[in-house]
Amino acid sequence: MHRPKKQAALGFIFATLLIDVMGLAIIIPVFPKLLMHLIHGSVSDVSIYGGWLTAAYAIMQFLCSPLIGNLSDKYGRRPVLLCSLVGFGIDYLFLAFAPTIGLLFIGRIIAGFTGASFTTANAYIADISTPEKRAANFGLVGVAFGLGFIIGPVIGGILGKYNVHYPFLAAAGLAFLNAIYGYFILPESLAPENRRPLELKKINPFTSLIQLKKYKSVIGLAVSLFLIYFAVQAVQSVWTYYTMYKFNWSETMVGISLGVVGFLVALVQGGLIRFINPKLGNERSIWVGLVLYSIGLLLFAFASEGWMMFAFLVPYCLGGIAGPALQGYMSNSVPANEQGNLQGGLTGLMSLSAVFGPWLMTLAFHYFTSKAAPFQFPGAPFAIGSILMLLSAILAILSFKKNKQVL
């Protein structure tokens, strides 16, 4: 693919990710309200259901992401990505009309199957990126998340005021719009000579994880990445419940806070990372970012006023320099025709952490906000996340030292 076409393709995949993330973000502010409506419980009560619903989604994504990644290595990224987007649209329609919490679970399971589109998007970026540009280009995924979280939650908060189901309908519309856009605009990124046949053993999600061991320089960092994914579940799974419980925030306020998160993530990963990463290098960017993540999470845990959550987002979001650098480092260790398999394995790690992460984090939140707790500490999930980030940083540093000894 020539340079102008590569730049255009990067723009297309960015727009695809942006619309995808907007669809996900629209429903976040209203999800507790929907659950409270269905089970007639408190914020503390519904947080457990929220964790289980996320886990149901993640189990299916864990089982299916290696299949999606390997299909994209055989047939190309484009058809797999388009099918995933159509599936997302169908799922959101399903959620919009679910009258019971049982049907919500079925909807989340369907979403888990189709939700592996990020695997294909990451492989797409790897296809069209030179080794030295990979970390910066993976940062565009963060920008898409950031902008999606600026726009999506605000729309969700506004629509949720009128009807709790409207944000789901809006998300469905965005997913179908994305699929149509991709069908007419998105070019294929994987050249025929870089495709490989589908191997049944690589479809096994555990095989995909085990295959990460093939490259000695990747396995330690893959575990480090797993700990990051696990730790950020404290924010992704508990933020809405925590802020509603501790600071009595409305859906609109939650939406605004997530919009600020999105703005800061976009600023860091879209702008700062392109200056910071070349100066610090991948290795230093990773451990510095992880320490900042850890500090941010610890500050969230002990915040006593609502405004503090906004202030403490600064160190937390600056920690975002770690993820793209870590992905770039690992991607550079894998050949072109294995990128889909690598991204499938990494998405498998993310999904595996998302099976246990939301369950543990919402359980910690529920327990420490219940009468059974020895003391009230709704920030417990953030404290757990902070410790995990520090462990990830230590493991990353040890992995770099080991790699240098091998060289």
Side-chain angles (χ1 to χ4, degrees):
M1 198 180 285
H2 298 297
R3 184 178 176 83
K5 285 190 176 180
K6 281 186 178 180
Q7 290 301 317
L10 202 59
F12 297 148
I13 204 72
F14 173 77
T16 300
L17 283 169
L18 174 62
I19 298 171
D20 217 6
V21 173
M22 278 177 61
L24 290 170
I26 276 176
I27 68 174
I28 293 173
V30 295
F31 216 72
K33 186 178 177 182
L34 180 66
L35 293 176
M36 289 166 76
H37 176 73
L38 290 173
I39 69 164
H40 308 290
S42 67
V43 172
S44 181
D45 294 333
V46 301
S47 66
I48 287 287
Y49 287 95
W52 289 342
L53 282 162
T54 307
Y57 170 88
I59 288 168
M60 282 304 293
Q61 194 176 52
F62 172 68
L63 293 174
C64 298
S65 62
L67 172 62
I68 299 292
N70 279 275
L71 283 172
S72 79
D73 278 343
K74 179 176 171 62
Y75 296 107
R77 318 301 185 201
R78 188 174 181 273
V80 173
L81 190 58
L82 293 179
C83 288
S84 292
L85 294 174
V86 171
F88 254 137
I90 293 168
D91 164 60
Y92 288 134
L93 285 177
F94 198 96
L95 294 179
F97 298 107
T100 66
I101 197 160
L103 288 174
L104 274 185
F105 273 99
I106 294 170
R108 288 287 82 192
I109 288 167
I110 295 168
F113 177 76
T114 61
S117 58
F118 292 108
T119 307
T120 315
N122 281 329
Y124 194 108
I125 291 168
D127 290 340
I128 63 173
S129 303
T130 57
E132 62 273 13
K133 287 285 186 182
R134 274 194 179 134
N137 287 344
F138 278 128
L140 283 175
V141 178
V143 182
F145 267 89
L147 292 177
F149 271 100
I150 291 169
I151 303 164
V154 175
I155 296 171
I158 293 168
L159 292 176
K161 281 184 178 180
Y162 298 100
N163 189 302
V164 75
H165 300 290
Y166 285 172
F168 295 92
L169 292 171
L174 281 173
F176 287 127
L177 179 68
N178 202 357
I180 294 165
Y181 171 83
Y183 180 80
F184 288 106
I185 302 295
L186 194 69
E188 180 54 65
S189 66
L190 187 64
E193 62 270 20
N194 284 334
R195 298 184 190 186
R196 60 179 177 83
L198 189 67
E199 298 175 44
L200 291 177
K201 65 179 181 179
K202 289 187 177 180
I203 295 173
N204 184 326
F206 296 100
T207 301
S208 182
L209 291 175
I210 292 165
Q211 286 219 335
L212 292 175
K213 290 174 68 177
K214 200 159 60 171
Y215 303 96
K216 301 298 181 185
S217 60
V218 166
I219 184 61
L221 295 172
V223 177
S224 180
L225 192 65
F226 173 80
L227 292 175
I228 297 170
Y229 287 146
F230 202 103
V232 297
Q233 286 299 329
V235 175
Q236 293 176 2
S237 302
V238 178
W239 180 274
T240 306
Y241 304 103
Y242 177 76
T243 53
M244 284 181 169
Y245 178 87
K246 192 167 184 179
F247 308 117
N248 200 30
W249 283 6
S250 65
E251 292 85 6
T252 305
M253 193 63 182
V254 169
I256 291 168
S257 71
L258 290 172
V260 173
V261 173
F263 173 75
L264 291 174
V265 168
L267 185 66
V268 171
Q269 300 207 1
L272 292 179
I273 196 170
R274 291 179 180 268
F275 300 101
I276 294 171
N277 185 266
K279 288 189 177 182
L280 294 181
N282 278 344
E283 293 184 22
R284 200 178 294 173
S285 294
I286 290 163
W287 69 259
V288 168
L290 290 173
V291 170
L292 286 167
Y293 263 146
S294 183
I295 292 168
L297 284 164
L298 196 63
L299 291 171
F300 289 151
F302 293 99
S304 56
E305 300 286 343
W307 65 265
M308 292 180 180
M309 297 299 285
F310 288 92
F312 299 157
L313 279 171
V314 175
Y316 177 79
C317 290
L318 280 171
I321 64 173
L326 193 52
Q327 272 192 304
Y329 188 100
M330 287 189 283
S331 181
N332 289 341
S333 304
V334 174
N337 65 350
E338 291 283 340
Q339 290 294 333
N341 198 45
L342 170 68
Q343 297 304 331
L346 296 182
T347 306
L349 278 180
M350 182 168 62
S351 300
L352 192 61
S353 69
V355 171
F356 302 105
W359 174 79
L360 175 67
M361 299 303 183
T362 54
L363 182 67
F365 174 77
H366 175 70
Y367 177 73
F368 282 102
T369 53
S370 71
K371 292 178 182 177
F375 56 92
Q376 291 287 298
F377 185 35
F382 298 116
I384 293 168
S386 180
I387 294 166
L388 291 175
M389 285 295 187
L390 280 180
L391 288 174
S392 179
I394 292 165
L395 184 58
I397 291 166
L398 291 173
S399 296
F400 295 142
K401 285 184 178 178
K402 187 179 178 183
N403 291 344
K404 284 173 184 175
Q405 286 171 0
V406 171
L407 293 171

